């Protein structure tokens, strides 16, 4: 497993752990602000995972697509990247 995959895997496990904690906190009727803090921690981990995925995608697939002489392939990659960015930055 590459360091990239290890980092993603670790952050996914952390996010799963915090989500489990959120569920336990809800089930035990804990203080709402404490639950919200754990939700924010989970969202931060998921954003970090997504950022790493996008960086990796750009450095592998992006370089390949954008250096291609196929204009359609370039345009498709750019459209894909814009769609992905729009979803990732949606509030």
């Amino acid at each position: 497993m590459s360091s990239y995959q290890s980092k993603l895997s670790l952050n996914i496990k952390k996010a799963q752990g915090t989500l489990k904690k959120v569920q336990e906190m809800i089930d035990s009727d804990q203080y709402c602000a404490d639950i919200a803090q754990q939700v924010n921690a989970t969202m931060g981990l998921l954003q970090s995972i997504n950022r790493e995925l996008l960086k990796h995608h750009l450095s592998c697939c992006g370089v390949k697509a954008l250096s291609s002489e196929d204009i359609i392939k370039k345009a498709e990659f750019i459209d894909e990247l814009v769609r992905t960015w729009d979803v990732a930055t949606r509030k």
Side-chain angles (χ1 to χ4, degrees):
M1 183 180 291
S2 71
S3 64
Y4 156 77
Q5 290 169 316
S6 295
K7 185 175 183 177
L8 289 180
S9 183
L10 178 63
N11 280 342
I12 288 169
K13 288 176 185 173
K14 286 179 182 178
Q16 288 171 328
T18 57
L19 275 177
K20 183 178 179 188
K21 183 172 182 167
V22 166
Q23 184 63 59
E24 291 168 358
M25 292 172 80
I26 290 169
D27 292 344
S28 63
D29 200 28
Q30 292 192 21
Y31 189 59
C32 296
D34 293 340
I35 297 170
Q37 184 177 357
Q38 289 300 311
V39 169
N40 286 331
T42 305
M43 290 177 5
L45 286 165
L46 292 173
Q47 288 170 339
S48 175
I49 293 165
N50 196 42
R51 204 171 21 257
E52 287 301 313
L53 284 167
L54 289 173
K55 282 172 37 179
H56 182 73
H57 184 54
L58 278 170
S59 67
C60 300
C61 306
V63 169
K64 186 176 179 181
L66 295 173
S67 63
S68 169
E69 293 186 23
D70 184 343
I71 304 284
I72 293 172
K73 187 179 242 182
K74 287 180 182 182
E76 287 173 347
F77 179 80
I78 291 168
D79 289 342
E80 173 188 76
L81 185 61
V82 168
R83 278 192 318 275
T84 304
W85 178 259
D86 285 345
V87 170
T89 58
R90 193 177 299 156
K91 299 276 179 187

